[in-house]
Amino acid sequence: MNRELVINSGPNEVEIALLEENQLVELHKDKTNSSFSVGDIYLGRVRKIMPGLNAAFVDVGYERDAFLHYLDLGPQVLTYNKYIRTLMNGTGGEDVYQSIKLEKDIQKTGKINAVLKQNQSVLIQIAKEPISSKGPRISTEISFAGRYMVLLPFSDKISISQKIKSAEERKRLKRLITSIRPKNFGVIVRTMAENRMVAELDTDLRNLVKKWENVYKKLDHKSKPPIKVVSELNRTSTILRDLLNESFNSIKINEPSIAEEIKSFVERIAPGKSNIVNLIKGKSIFEQTGVDKQIKSSFGKIVTIKSGIYLIIEHTEAMHVIDVNSGHRVNKDKSQEENALQTNIESASEIARQLRLRDMGGIIVIDFIDMNQAANRRALFAHMKEEMGKDRAKHTILPPSKFGLVQITRQRVRPEMNIEIQEQCPVCNGSGEVSPSVLLIDDIQNNLAYLINEQNEKSLKIIVHPFVYAFIRSKFRHIQRKWYKELNSWVKVEEDSSYHQLEYHIFNSNDEEIKL
């Protein structure tokens, strides 16, 4: 598969476009001043315990309190609480961490008021960014993601990614991690660790341990919640860490410093392939690579597929609804059932792309075209699962219901990517209202009278839309001659087909436009 990254670095944000077979499938934006990003670690203060919800609201410095459910506490929350108390007393550190005795795991069916108290200081990690009117969703089960593994403080488990199928490789990785991991740390081995050397895994592990060390170095008796303790990598670095691998054929960047950084990174993971990193200068990199055009055609309420099929995408607070329409896609040589299957299959591929591209999360309901045969519904379901298999976000797909609806739940940790593709109307300037066309000529004449009589302008020229030009020059009315009689000055009239119908511009004798 041909995979390409296009990175557009601006003063306030970095945009990253992922293309597969020259088709835009993911778009990420990383604002340089963003806060409360997924992975950030805060020392928060429990503001309110809600026994009815079995949850707590925690002050992390956001305008709305963060939501912490009992199921997000993590099994070792009591150990975390004990360690935080030690740090806040000024007696914590590496030695204390290595020697601390792990508490018993909390019960999965327990109550939150047995674990947390009001005004208690608690170490939390952002699990879901603030979305709409909701505050962040948080967890007390801290984790640090690296390229090859995820580090879990106060844990002793070692897990291997299910995507690593080889039994021998799984045993090798477990044996290696067991030999190099420090005490009181658990590790989840990621898919990218497959066939990696022990030196690469050890370097990744040490870097993650240093992140945890930054936590206890920043917390002491002077720490007053809410404060940010550790920032996750910026979105750009996180995406590159998780996405970048040997499968990329091209990486295009408009920022020299980022280009050099990525070049050295690519050289480490795929020696000899650093030449795929290209610095692009000149006008917008998205415009040069065609990404800008794909963005304009892929967002909005109505998305049209090349074959004429189109999707209507509606959004609510709780879910997204997608309606599939065949448009003019009808093959007269095929039956209605065959046409419906072909339309649905093609739509499923585009829908899977749209979910990734817009980062749509929560509940998605898709109204495909009705099909009577069970075999066709199974074929659609299988194809949808195959296309969604390219999606890195956690998701679940249900088979078509008896009403022909396919339901999908997709992990949502950030606000949906929403790009406004509609441009402001040059006639009404976005108001939706225009001046009455019958008053246009009067408006022009009033402006000409002001310029000639009040400003002593001579030899004026006006450029208008061809329709208006024809109206002004018509023999029946001949408005141009009428202006000459009333204003005692000849006004030259020209036409320009690029103007909208009610647009006009007035120029002086030096051919300079007069702004009114």
Side-chain angles (χ1 to χ4, degrees), residues 140-207:
T140 62
E141 190 169 18
I142 308 298
S143 63
F144 298 93
R147 183 163 178 79
Y148 302 119
M149 64 191 73
V150 178
L151 185 71
L152 305 172
F154 297 121
S155 176
D156 56 2
K157 69 178 182 179
I158 298 176
S159 303
I160 311 294
S161 168
Q162 296 296 321
K163 292 182 180 179
I164 299 177
K165 302 299 182 183
S166 170
E168 286 189 10
E169 179 62 10
R170 295 175 68 86
K171 288 180 183 177
R172 183 188 78 91
L173 289 171
K174 191 160 189 175
R175 186 172 63 251
L176 285 177
I177 298 300
T178 302
S179 65
I180 63 176
R181 75 178 174 110
K183 186 181 177 183
N184 283 344
F185 285 109
V187 174
I188 300 173
V189 180
R190 305 182 72 177
T191 310
M192 283 187 178
E194 189 172 11
N195 299 321
R196 294 294 174 182
M197 303 298 290
V198 64
E200 295 176 277
L201 301 178
D202 186 63
T203 301
D204 199 32
L205 179 61
R206 299 305 157 197
N207 290 336

Side-chain angles (χ1 to χ4, degrees), residues 22-23 297 303-310 328-329 346 350:
N22 297 319
Q23 188 177 43
S297 64
V303 177
T304 304
I305 305 173
K306 285 184 178 179
S307 60
I309 302 167
Y310 64 95
H328 57 261
R329 172 66 175 273
E346 194 169 337
E350 178 62 23

Side-chain angles (χ1 to χ4, degrees), residues 451 457-462 505-515:
L451 292 172
E457 289 284 355
K458 304 298 180 184
S459 303
L460 293 177
K461 178 179 71 174
I462 181 170
H505 297 277
I506 302 174
F507 298 83
N508 62 19
S509 56
N510 297 322
D511 214 26
E512 297 171 342
E513 184 180 355
I514 301 174
K515 300 292 185 181

Side-chain angles (χ1 to χ4, degrees), residues 9 22 26 75 111 160 252 274 357 474 491 499:
S9 178
N22 297 319
E26 289 186 24
K111 299 296 181 182
I160 311 294
K252 296 176 181 176
S274 60
L357 183 58
S474 67
V491 178
Y499 283 22

Side-chain angles (χ1 to χ4, degrees), residues 19 50 160 182 189 217-218 222 230 234 302 326 358 423 445 486:
L19 287 81
M50 305 292 288
I160 311 294
V189 180
K217 286 178 181 177
K218 287 189 177 180
K222 297 179 182 178
V230 175
N234 60 52
I302 299 176
S326 60
R358 302 185 186 214
E423 298 177 354
Q445 183 170 341
E486 294 184 6

Side-chain angles (χ1 to χ4, degrees), residues 230-243:
V230 175
S231 289
E232 171 60 297
L233 292 172
N234 60 52
R235 187 92 177 270
T236 308
S237 302
T238 304
I239 292 165
L240 293 176
R241 179 195 67 197
D242 294 342
L243 281 182

